[in-house]
C-alpha cells in the first residue's frame, strides 16, 4: 500500500529541518490515475547513460496574493538537490527501481516571494560509476505542480539546463587501495574555475543556457504503455540534515593550525606555495556532507579524504583512537579553487567518516580557510525507548548500538554506510527489529519488505540485496525475508499489507520444496550463493552441503521458516496449506536430526557425513523445534563450551540469542556481551561487521544489543500478532536491576525489575490501558492487565 505524502519543510539558522505529514488527500487524484502534464526533461546532446552533472532552472512570476500552499512533486534519475530562490529545500529520490520510481511531494510556499521566483535543481547521473544500489534508465528530471495553480513550474522546454564542466569523477580505485568490496560510487572533483557560481539564485543570468529537451510524460503506477520510469509516492520521510561541527584536529603537517578554525569563527590563512595537511577527528563515525568554505587561493588544490579509522603500514587498524604511525586511506573528493570569495564546496552525496584529512596545496596566492564542518544526515530515526541496569558499562553498548543503527538507516537500510550502502535481507531483519523497539518507526521496515518483494526473480526468490543494479541471490536471505514479514505481523496490525505477500512466501517455500532430497528428506544441492556467516566454512561463508546437498543448517532454517509461514497462512485462513507446511517442517526436522545428531559429541553436524560442526547448526535445530527442550539445553551448553566447532560472528549472535531464549537459557545472554565490550576497548564508536580484522567498522547487524536489551534482558515481546498482547519474560543474568521502556502500537511498555534474593524478582510493569499480557519469571506465570501493576515473586 503506497503512502501519499506531503513534506513540509522549514529552515532555521542555515540548518535544513525536514518534517513529514501524511495527508492522503493532498496529492491531486488525477496525478495518481494517469500521465502527468509535466514532462521528463534532460540536457540536449548529452550522453544520457554516462556520467554527468546538470543544472536546471526556471524563473516564474507570482502575483501579490501569494498562495498559502504550493505543492510540487519532484524526482530525478539518478538524484537531485532542489533549491527555491537559492535556498536548499530537499534531496532525493529515495532509491527504488524502474517499476517503483519514488518522487517527493513538497510544499514550497514558505520560500516564494512576490514577483520573480527561481526554482533550480542540481541533477547528477553517475553512469557506469554509479553505486551498485543505484538503478537507472537515463539522465532525467521532472517536476509537477499539484494543481492548475502550481503547474506554472511544470518541467518542459521552458526550463533551462546547463551541463556542468566543473565535475569529474575521482577516487575511482577505492576497492583496490582498501582491498575491500566498496561500491558507493566515485568521489567528486570540482573545478571552481568551471563552476557556475550562484546559478541557483534568482539574479543569475541563464541566457546562454540551453532549453531543456523533453523526453516523455511521467506515468504513475498502474498506468502507461511505454514507461521509462513508473512513479510511486515516496513512502518514507526525507533524510534529515543538521549542522555537526568537528571537535578536534589531531595532527597537522606543513604549518600549525589553530583548533578554533573548527568553530567557524577564526579563519586560517594558508600561505602561497605551501603543502599543508590537517587530520580532523569527529571522534565517532558519522554520515554527513562535509562543507568547506574558502576564499582566495586561486590555483590551490584541496583534497578531502574520509575514513572510519586509520591504518598502520601493514594495513591494520588496531585501536581506532590511536593515530601514531598510522595514515589515512579511503574515499576522497578534490576541490580546485578559482580564487573567489566565500566559495562553498560540498560533495554530491554524503560521506561516512570518523577521520577526515584535508590536504591543501596552494599556488601563488594564499588561501583563506574560512570554515569546515559537516551536515549530518540520515533517516529521522529518533530514540523513543530507554534502557538502564545495574551494570553501567551496558550504557556505552546501548549508545554505540544506537549510533550504528542510525548510521545504517538512510533511504533504505544500509549494511554499511562507508563501503556499500546496500540493503541486504539478512541485515535488514535485525535492523528492522531495532527500529521497532528503539523508535517505534516502522516506515523503513515497510519499505524494506516492499523493496525485497519487488526484487523477486522468475524463480520466485527475492534478491539478496535490493535495490541493486547487479543480480545477487542468497536463498537463505529469501527465508529471512519471510521471517521479516512474520516479524512485522507480530509487531504491527496491518492485514492488507501482510496479505499481499502470501503468494510470494509460497513461491519461496516452493523453491526449497522442489530441491528436497527425498531419500534423506533434507535439502539437496542448492544453486546461487548460500551464505550463512563470515569467518566460518569457506571464504564466502557458504554452508557445508549447500552445493552438494544435505546442509543441516539450511534445511533447519527452512523448517524454522516453514513454521513461521504456517502461522501467517493460518492467520489468513489458509489452514490446509499451513498444515502442510508444518508437517513438512516436522519431517525435515526429524530426518535432519536422525542424520546429523552425534550423540557422543552432543552436537548437530553440518552434514550427514558429520565431518564438521558449528554453532549455526545447533542454533537452527533449537529454533526449528528439531530437538526437545532438554536436548536443546544440553546441545546449547556444549555449543558454548566447545571452541573447536564453527563459531558465530556478530551477525549470527542475534540467532544465538534467539536459541538461548528458546532453550530457556536467556540468562546466559548477559555473559555473552564480551564481543561488544572488546569492540569498545578497541576504540570503536559503532559496531563492526565481524571480529578483527574487519572491513567495516559500522555494520547494523552487529547492533542487535539495542534490541536484546529490551527483548531479552527486559524480556518485552509480542505475545499475539500486532503486539495486541505483551509477553514480559526477563532474563537478567547476573544483573540485579534493569529498567526498559519501549513503544508499541497502542502506547508504551515500561518494565522495572529488581532482584529479590537469588531467585526472586520485584517487577513494576506498565502496559497500555487496552492491552493485556503475561509476566513469566523462570516459569512462574502471572496475567497482566492494562495500566501499572507490581509483581513480586
Amino acid at each position: 500500500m503506497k503512502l501519499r505524502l506531503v513534506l513540509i519543510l522549514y529552515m532555521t539558522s542555515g540548518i535544513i529541518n525536514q518534517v513529514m505529514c501524511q495527508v492522503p488527500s493532498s496529492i491531486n487524484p488525477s496525478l495518481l490515475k494517469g500521465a502527468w502534464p509535466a514532462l521528463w526533461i534532460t540536457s540536449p546532446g548529452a550522453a544520457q547513460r554516462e556520467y554527468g552533472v546538470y543544472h536546471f532552472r526556471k524563473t516564474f512570476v507570482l502575483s501579490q496574493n501569494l498562495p498559502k500552499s504550493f505543492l510540487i512533486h519532484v524526482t530525478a534519475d539518478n538524484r537531485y538537490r532542489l533549491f527555491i530562490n537559492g535556498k536548499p529545500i530537499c534531496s532525493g529520490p529515495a532509491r527504488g527501481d524502474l517499476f517503483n520510481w519514488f518522487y517527493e511531494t513538497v510544499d514550497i510556499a514558505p520560500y516564494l516571494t512576490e514577483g520573480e521566483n527561481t526554482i533550480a535543481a542540481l541533477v547528477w547521473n553517475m553512469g557506469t560509476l554509479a553505486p551498485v544500489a543505484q538503478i537507472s534508465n537515463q539522465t532525467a528530471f521532472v517536476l509537477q505542480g499539484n494543481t492548475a495553480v502550481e503547474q506554472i513550474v511544470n518541467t518542459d522546454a521552458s526550463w533551462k539546463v546547463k551541463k556542468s564542466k566543473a565535475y569529474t569523477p575521482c577516487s575511482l580505485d577505492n576497492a583496490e587501495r582498501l582491498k575491500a568490496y566498496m561500491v558507493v560510487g566515485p568521489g567528486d572533483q570540482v573545478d571552481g574555475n568551471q563552476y557556475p557560481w550562484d546559478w541557483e539564485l534568482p539574479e543569475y543570468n541563464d541566457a546562454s543556457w540551453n532549453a531543456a529537451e523533453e523526453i516523455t510524460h511521467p506515468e504513475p503506477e498502474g498506468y502507461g504503455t511505454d514507461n521509462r520510469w513508473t512513479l510511486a509516492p515516496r513512502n518514507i520521510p526525507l533524510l534529515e540534515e543538521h549542522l555537526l561541527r568537528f571537535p578536534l584536529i589531531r595532527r597537522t603537517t606543513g604549518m600549525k593550525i589553530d583548533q578554533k578554525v573548527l568553530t567557524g569563527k577564526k579563519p586560517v590563512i594558508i600561505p602561497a606555495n605551501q603543502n599543508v595537511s590537517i587530520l580532523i577527528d569527529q571522534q565517532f563515525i558519522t554520515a554527513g556532507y562535509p562543507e568547506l568554505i574558502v576564499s582566495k587561493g586561486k590555483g590551490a588544490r584541496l583534497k578531502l579524504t574520509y575514513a572510519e579509522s586509520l591504518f598502520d603500514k601493514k594495513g591494520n587498524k588496531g585501536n581506532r583512537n590511536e593515530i601514531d604511525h598510522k595514515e589515512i586511506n579511503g574515499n576522497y573528493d578534490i576541490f580546485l579553487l578559482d580564487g573567489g570569495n566565500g566559495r562553498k564546496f560540498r560533495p554530491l552525496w554524503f560521506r561516512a567518516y570518523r577521520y577526515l584529512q584535508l590536504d591543501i596545496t596552494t599556488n601563488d596566492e594564499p588561501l583563506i580557510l574560512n570554515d569546515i564542518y559537516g551536515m549530518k544526515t540520515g533517516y529521522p530515526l529518533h530514540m523513543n525507548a530507554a534502557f538502564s541496569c545495574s551494570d553501567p558499562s551496558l550504557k556505552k553498548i546501548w549508545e554505540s548500538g544506537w549510533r550504528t543503527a542510525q548510521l545504517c538507516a538512510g533511504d533504505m537500510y544500509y549494511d554499511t554506510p562507508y563501503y556499500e550502502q546496500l540493503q541486504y535481507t539478512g541485515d535488514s531483519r535485525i535492523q528492522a527489529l531495532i527500529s521497532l523497539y528503539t523508535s517505534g518507526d516502522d516506515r523503513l521496515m515497510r519499505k524494506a519488505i516492499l523493496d525485497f518483494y519487488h526484487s523477486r526473480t522468475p524463480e520466485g526468490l527475492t534478491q539478496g540485496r535490493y535495490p541493486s543494479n547487479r543480480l545477487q541471490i542468497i536463498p537463505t536471505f529469501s527465508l529471512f525475508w519471510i521471517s521479516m514479514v512474520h516479524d512485522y505481523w507480530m509487531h504491527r496490525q496491518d492485514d492488507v499489507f501482510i496479505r499481499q505477500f502470501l503468494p510470494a512466501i509460497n513461491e519461496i517455500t516452493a523453491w526449497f520444496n522442489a530441491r528436497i532430497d527425498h531419500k534423506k528428506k533434507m535439502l539437496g544441492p542448492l544453486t546461487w550463493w548460500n551464505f550463512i556467516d563470515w569467518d566460518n566454512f569457506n571464504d564466502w561463508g557458504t554452508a557445508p552441503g549447500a552445493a552438494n546437498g544435505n546442509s543441516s543448517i539450511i534445511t533447519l532454517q527452512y523448517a524454522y521458516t516453514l513454521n513461521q509461514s504456517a502461522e501467517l497462512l493460518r492467520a489468513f485462513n489458509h489452514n490446509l496449506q499451513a498444515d502442510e507446511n508444518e508437517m513438512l517442517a516436522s519431517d525435515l526436522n526429524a530426518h535432519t536430526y536422525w542424520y546429523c545428531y552425534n550423540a557422543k559429541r552432543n552436537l548437530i553436524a553440518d552434514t550427514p557425513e558429520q565431518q564438521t560442526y558449528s554453532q549455526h547448526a545447533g542454533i537452527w535445530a533449537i529454533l526449528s523445534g528439531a530437538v526437545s527442550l532438554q536436548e536443546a539445553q544440553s546441545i546449547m551448553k556444549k555449543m558454548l563450551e566447545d571452541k573447536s566447532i564453527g563459531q558465530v560472528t556478530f551477525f549470527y549472535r542475534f540467532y544465538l540469542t534467539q536459541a538461548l531464549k528458546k532453550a530457556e537459557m536467556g540468562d546466559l545472554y548477559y555473559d555473552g556481551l564480551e564481543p561488544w565490550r572488546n569492540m569498545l576497548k578497541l576504540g570503536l564508536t559503532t559496531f563492526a561487521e565481524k571480529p578483527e580484522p574487519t572491513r567495516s567498522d559500522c555494520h547494523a547487524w552487529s547492533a542487535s544489543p539495542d534490541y536484546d536489551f529490551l527483548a531479552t534482558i527486559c524480556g518485552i515481546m509480542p505475545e499475539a500478532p500486532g503486539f495486541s498482547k505483551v509477553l514480559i519474560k526477563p532474563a537478567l543474568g547476573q544483573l540485579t536491576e534493569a529498567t526498559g521502556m519501549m513503544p508499541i502500537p497502542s502506547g508504551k511498555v515500561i518494565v522495572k525489575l529488581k532482584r529479590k534474593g537469588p531467585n526472586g524478582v520485584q517487577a513494576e510493569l506498565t502496559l497500555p490501558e487496552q492491552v493485556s499480557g503475561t509476566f513469566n519469571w523462570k516459569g512462574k506465570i502471572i496475567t497482566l492487565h492494562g495500566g501499572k501493576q507490581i509483581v513480586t515473586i
Side-chain angles (χ1 to χ4, degrees):
M1 182 175 67
K2 304 288 191 226
L3 298 178
R4 303 175 186 178
L5 307 176
V6 174
L7 307 170
I8 302 174
L9 302 94
Y10 58 93
M11 292 185 69
T12 58
S13 304
I15 300 174
I16 301 176
N17 297 279
Q18 301 173 331
V19 181
M20 184 188 74
C21 298
Q22 181 180 335
V23 186
S25 61
S26 293
I27 295 181
N28 188 334
S30 67
L31 299 178
L32 300 170
K33 296 180 180 179
W36 289 7
L39 286 142
W40 284 98
I41 57 174
T42 191
S43 179
Q48 296 299 310
R49 295 185 177 179
E50 295 182 7
Y51 177 96
V53 180
Y54 305 86
H55 305 273
F56 289 87
R57 278 174 55 96
K58 182 180 176 66
T59 298
F60 59 102
V61 178
L62 292 178
S63 65
Q64 294 181 353
N65 298 319
L66 290 175
K68 293 182 179 179
S69 175
F70 199 101
L71 290 182
I72 60 170
H73 315 291
V74 56
T75 188
D77 185 350
N78 299 162
R79 289 189 182 271
Y80 72 90
R81 189 179 187 213
L82 187 71
F83 301 82
I84 304 296
N85 293 325
K87 296 178 181 178
I89 304 301
C90 70
S91 299
R95 281 195 173 123
D97 55 31
L98 296 179
F99 183 75
N100 299 273
W101 197 272
F102 296 108
Y103 61 88
E104 285 70 47
T105 298
V106 294
D107 187 351
I108 62 173
Y111 309 101
L112 300 176
T113 61
E114 294 178 10
E116 282 195 347
N117 291 268
T118 297
I119 185 166
L122 183 65
V123 175
W124 61 93
N125 183 348
M126 295 289 102
T128 58
L129 302 174
V132 168
Q134 183 65 57
I135 295 171
S136 177
N137 189 338
Q138 67 165 85
T139 301
F141 174 67
V142 66
L143 189 148
Q144 170 69 53
N146 193 50
T147 67
V149 173
E150 295 105 335
Q151 289 186 16
I152 187 175
V153 297
N154 282 7
T155 45
D156 55 24
S158 68
W159 277 67
K160 295 291 192 74
V161 61
K162 179 180 179 66
K163 182 178 180 180
S164 179
K165 297 180 181 179
Y167 286 88
T168 54
C170 65
S171 196
L172 301 176
D173 61 344
N174 289 330
E176 180 183 348
R177 281 185 293 109
L178 291 166
K179 297 179 175 59
Y181 185 65
M182 189 168 183
V183 290
V184 293
D188 302 325
Q189 178 169 302
V190 185
D191 186 347
N193 298 286
Q194 299 289 336
Y195 192 84
W197 296 103
D198 300 327
W199 68 275
E200 70 273 26
L201 297 177
E203 56 268 23
Y204 182 86
N205 184 356
D206 60 12
S208 64
W209 288 25
N210 293 322
E213 179 180 317
E214 297 176 347
I215 303 173
T216 187
H217 289 283
E219 297 282 0
E221 183 181 357
Y223 298 87
T225 60
D226 193 27
N227 298 3
R228 304 193 192 190
W229 307 264
T230 300
L231 298 183
R234 185 181 178 112
N235 54 11
I236 57 171
L238 289 173
L239 305 189
E240 293 181 325
E241 281 191 32
H242 298 290
L243 176 66
L244 181 65
R245 289 211 165 267
F246 295 106
L248 185 64
I249 294 174
R250 293 289 298 275
R251 182 169 65 200
T252 62
T253 59
M255 65 176 289
K256 187 176 180 179
I257 303 293
D258 193 325
Q259 297 274 355
K260 291 182 180 179
V261 70
L262 300 179
T263 68
K265 298 177 181 178
K266 189 172 182 180
V268 169
I269 298 176
I270 311 296
N273 302 306
Q274 193 81 12
N275 292 313
V276 175
S277 180
I278 308 170
L279 179 65
I280 300 172
D281 186 356
Q282 184 70 71
Q283 298 190 314
F284 52 82
I285 295 178
T286 190
Y289 295 92
E291 293 191 350
L292 185 67
I293 300 177
V294 295
S295 298
K296 307 299 182 182
K298 184 175 178 60
R301 180 183 188 269
L302 308 182
K303 178 182 178 183
L304 270 67
T305 305
Y306 316 98
E308 294 181 320
S309 64
L310 304 185
F311 299 86
D312 65 20
K313 290 181 179 179
K314 295 182 179 180
N316 298 320
K317 297 180 179 180
N319 190 296
R320 292 356 182 227
N321 297 322
E322 298 171 356
I323 68 168
D324 290 344
H325 310 294
K326 292 182 179 180
E327 299 296 333
I328 199 165
N329 185 16
N331 190 25
Y332 61 82
D333 297 309
I334 295 173
F335 304 129
L336 306 176
L337 306 193
D338 67 323
N341 290 319
R343 299 306 201 204
K344 180 189 288 188
F345 291 92
R346 163 182 165 131
L348 294 171
W349 187 234
F350 78 81
R351 309 303 186 208
Y353 52 84
R354 171 179 171 173
Y355 291 99
L356 182 152
Q357 184 162 299
L358 175 57
D359 292 306
I360 305 171
T361 301
T362 55
N363 207 322
D364 294 334
E365 182 179 31
L367 177 151
I368 302 172
L369 177 57
N370 300 103
D371 202 0
I372 182 170
Y373 54 87
M375 294 297 291
K376 181 182 177 182
T377 189
Y379 182 90
L381 194 66
H382 301 301
M383 176 61 78
N384 291 311
F387 174 80
S388 62
C389 68
S390 54
D391 180 352
S393 69
L394 267 59
K395 179 181 179 182
K396 190 69 179 293
I397 296 176
W398 172 266
E399 291 172 347
S400 297
W402 172 242
R403 183 181 295 114
T404 307
Q406 284 184 300
L407 285 169
C408 293
D411 55 355
M412 55 189 180
Y413 285 123
Y414 302 141
D415 62 329
T416 159
Y418 188 85
Y419 287 92
E420 296 186 43
Q421 297 175 25
L422 283 164
Q423 181 173 253
Y424 290 83
T425 329
D427 306 58
S428 295
R429 185 196 180 190
I430 299 170
Q431 291 172 270
L433 288 170
I434 295 169
S435 296
L436 293 181
Y437 268 65
T438 56
S439 74
D441 189 335
D442 61 21
R443 291 170 292 184
L444 204 55
M445 181 182 191
R446 289 171 65 95
K447 182 180 185 296
I449 291 172
L450 285 166
D451 285 343
F452 292 120
Y453 176 65
H454 297 146
S455 80
R456 287 171 299 144
T457 64
E459 287 185 309
L461 294 178
T462 58
Q463 294 186 44
R465 61 193 187 195
Y466 203 76
S468 172
N469 58 38
R470 301 178 191 172
L471 179 69
Q472 182 196 82
I473 296 176
I474 307 176
T476 55
F477 279 24
S478 289
L479 297 177
F480 284 136
W481 180 75
I482 296 175
S483 296
M484 198 173 180
V485 175
H486 185 274
D487 292 340
Y488 190 89
W489 173 65
M490 288 298 296
H491 291 80
R492 291 294 183 270
Q493 179 62 50
D494 192 339
D495 287 354
V496 173
F497 183 72
I498 294 295
R499 186 180 287 112
Q500 67 182 312
F501 304 124
L502 297 182
I505 289 171
N506 290 335
E507 288 183 0
I508 292 168
T509 56
W511 186 90
F512 283 91
N513 194 4
R515 286 156 178 80
I516 291 175
D517 174 352
H518 291 286
K519 182 178 179 180
K520 283 190 169 69
K521 287 286 183 161
M522 295 176 65
L523 287 173
L526 302 176
T527 51
W528 302 109
W529 181 24
N530 286 278
F531 172 80
I532 299 298
D533 195 5
W534 293 120
D535 288 357
N536 281 289
F537 317 128
N538 59 24
D539 290 343
W540 290 97
T542 303
N548 299 323
N550 304 143
S551 164
S552 68
I553 298 172
I554 304 178
T555 301
L556 293 169
Q557 185 188 351
Y558 177 40
Y560 163 85
T561 311
L562 282 168
N563 285 325
Q564 289 185 323
S565 70
E567 291 181 15
L568 287 166
L569 289 164
R570 187 164 284 111
F572 291 91
N573 299 315
H574 299 282
N575 295 321
L576 180 60
Q577 192 174 0
D579 290 341
E580 291 175 351
N581 283 8
E582 285 178 342
M583 287 189 290
L584 177 57
S586 179
D587 210 16
L588 293 170
N589 278 338
H591 284 80
T592 304
Y593 177 86
W594 172 261
Y595 282 108
C596 297
Y597 177 65
N598 185 314
K600 289 183 179 180
R601 297 196 63 175
N602 195 23
L603 289 170
I604 304 292
D606 294 330
T607 64
E609 291 77 20
Q610 300 191 10
Q611 297 298 307
T612 62
Y613 296 81
S614 65
Q615 290 182 325
H616 308 75
I619 286 168
W620 288 119
I622 294 168
L623 291 178
S624 67
V627 295
S628 67
L629 176 60
Q630 183 178 355
E631 288 173 315
Q633 292 175 340
S634 178
I635 290 170
M636 178 61 75
K637 185 174 183 295
K638 183 63 182 296
M639 282 166 43
L640 296 176
E641 293 174 349
D642 191 343
K643 303 304 180 183
S644 71
I645 66 174
Q647 302 290 298
V648 297
T649 64
F650 303 149
F651 169 35
Y652 248 76
R653 279 191 170 272
F654 171 83
Y655 293 98
L656 177 64
T657 301
Q658 300 305 304
L660 282 171
K661 293 167 71 171
K662 182 78 179 287
E664 302 291 350
M665 298 170 68
D667 278 321
L668 295 179
Y669 171 74
Y670 174 77
D671 295 332
L673 290 172
E674 199 63 25
W676 287 275
R677 299 183 192 277
N678 289 338
M679 282 188 274
L680 295 177
K681 289 177 184 176
L682 278 173
L684 275 87
T685 60
T686 52
F687 292 132
E689 181 176 10
K690 66 184 189 68
E692 296 285 283
T694 183
R695 173 191 62 152
S696 165
D697 279 2
C698 181
H699 220 87
W701 68 19
S702 301
S704 56
D706 274 44
Y707 166 74
D708 278 313
F709 284 6
L710 296 168
T712 300
I713 292 177
C714 294
I716 307 169
M717 296 286 289
E719 192 171 28
F723 238 131
S724 57
K725 294 184 68 178
V726 176
L727 170 65
I728 300 175
K729 190 177 181 180
L732 290 176
Q734 299 179 43
L735 297 171
T736 57
E737 295 182 19
T739 297
M741 181 270 290
M742 63 166 285
I744 67 172
S746 53
K748 289 188 175 181
V749 176
I750 304 173
V751 175
K752 297 180 180 179
L753 305 163
K754 189 172 185 177
R755 279 194 177 277
K756 302 290 287 185
N759 298 310
V761 70
Q762 183 180 70
E764 182 182 301
L765 311 169
T766 304
L767 306 186
E769 288 294 339
Q770 66 273 37
V771 174
S772 62
T774 300
F775 182 71
N776 183 331
W777 176 259
K778 301 183 184 301
K780 296 181 179 180
I781 310 297
I782 294 176
T783 301
L784 303 176
H785 56 76
K788 184 177 177 180
Q789 53 235 283
I790 296 176
V791 173
T792 302
I793 296 177

